[in-house]
Amino acid sequence: MSPTHDIVLEDVTFSYDGVPVLEGASLAVPTRDFACVVGPNGGGKTTLLKLLLGLLTPQKGTISVLGRSPVAARSHVGYMPQSADIDPSFPVNVLDVVLMGRLQKTRPFGPYSPGDKAAALRCLEEVDLAGLRARPFGKLSGGQRQRVLIARALACEPKLLLLDEPTANLDAQAEGEFYELLRTLNEQMTVVVVSHDLSFVSAFVQTVICVGIERTIHVHDTTDLADDRVHTAYGDHIRMVLHNSHDRCDHEPEEPH
């Protein structure tokens, strides 16, 4: 496969306790792509991310991330999990949270270096939160917390950014601002987002990865639709998934009547 692909799966099969989640799945994500992973609950979306992170190992097939094995590439992959994994009541400030992302770049024990702190501050500047670096994490709004977690993922200076349901608890305005931030970050790195939000299959996305149909992966381009009924139902600038075959992704919206 071309070195211009940051993610390559070839004939991957993975099962939990003998129950198959993916069978013979193949995928290639180009460098600097902005991809959205969609599919039914339990269809394998989070499993796919864990395979890319090397947290799970396929029973069959091969996975390449940034031209190497998932485990070897992990220090160059920023990851934002589905849940915040930080108790808002825990007494930690914004800068402390972002510095956690430096742990795989520095030694696991001992104080952070001046270089670590400088890198964390640069990441906060990138998400427009440098002015809140001393604020308790629990005092932030939902949208601000998500930006801090993005900064934490960026602190490892990644080439690939993986996000699992990053806007699940955000209102529409915060969600839009968050995706605009991801679009800016996409100018520097490949971005892969798991989402249930149909409106996200929009002008932001270059590639749609449908997971869970017949336990495999289908990859599609997006195409603009000018139908006013679609815009009325789903919002302006919405894009639909262009299927080149007869199979459909479970989360592809039906044409409104």
Side-chain angles (χ1 to χ4, degrees):
M1 181 62 67
S2 166
T4 59
H5 288 80
D6 282 353
I7 296 171
V8 179
L9 276 70
E10 295 183 335
D11 197 26
V12 168
T13 293
F14 180 81
S15 302
Y16 286 109
D17 298 324
V19 179
V21 178
L22 294 174
E23 291 184 310
S26 296
L27 170 68
V29 177
T31 300
R32 301 289 174 85
D33 197 2
F34 195 154
C36 179
V37 181
V38 297
N41 289 332
K45 300 184 298 298
T46 298
T47 296
L48 175 60
L49 293 193
K50 290 182 177 180
L51 287 166
L52 296 178
L53 289 164
L55 301 176
L56 297 175
T57 303
Q59 286 87 32
K60 178 184 176 184
T62 60
I63 300 176
S64 172
V65 177
L66 302 173
R68 59 194 79 178
S69 73
V71 172
R74 195 182 296 159
S75 63
H76 300 284
V77 179
Y79 174 54
M80 184 173 170
Q82 194 171 96
S83 59
D85 68 13
I86 298 175
D87 184 348
S89 65
F90 188 75
V92 61
N93 66 30
V94 166
L95 183 60
D96 291 333
V97 172
V98 179
L99 280 167
M100 294 175 188
R102 295 294 296 176
L103 291 176
Q104 56 187 332
K105 286 290 184 182
T106 186
R107 60 191 180 203
F109 301 104
Y112 292 106
S113 70
D116 290 329
K117 294 178 181 178
L121 285 172
R122 285 196 302 271
C123 293
L124 281 172
E125 289 172 358
E126 198 157 7
V127 300
D128 295 324
L129 288 180
L132 300 182
R133 58 185 176 272
R135 181 168 297 184
F137 182 74
K139 298 295 185 180
L140 301 179
S141 68
Q144 288 171 332
R145 288 182 192 175
Q146 296 301 77
R147 284 176 175 262
V148 171
L149 296 176
I150 282 283
R152 183 182 66 173
L154 295 176
C156 71
E157 300 170 318
K159 298 178 181 178
L160 169 65
L161 186 60
L162 305 177
L163 307 98
D164 195 354
E165 299 280 2
T167 62
N169 299 309
L170 300 185
D171 60 33
Q173 180 178 343
E175 182 179 18
E177 293 171 351
F178 188 83
Y179 288 141
E180 286 292 349
L181 171 61
L182 292 185
R183 174 151 55 184
T184 299
L185 294 174
N186 182 225
E187 297 173 2
Q188 310 167 39
M189 66 192 72
T190 303
V191 177
V192 178
V193 180
V194 172
S195 178
H196 279 297
D197 188 353
L198 293 177
S199 66
F200 177 62
V201 184
S202 65
F204 298 102
V205 174
Q206 300 166 24
T207 303
V208 177
I209 302 169
C210 292
V211 178
I213 301 175
E214 298 176 351
R215 295 185 295 278
T216 191
I217 294 173
H218 299 270
V219 181
H220 308 275
D221 294 326
T222 53
T223 182
D224 287 320
L225 290 184
D227 193 323
D228 290 339
R229 293 175 300 167
V230 174
H231 290 164
T232 298
Y234 297 104
D236 292 337
H237 309 301
I238 196 69
R239 291 186 175 191
M240 303 285 281
V241 179
L242 175 62
H243 287 259
N244 295 319
S245 60
H246 294 295
D247 50 348
R248 298 172 59 86
C249 172
D250 286 9
H251 280 252
E252 180 189 358
E254 298 288 341
E255 180 180 358
H257 297 287

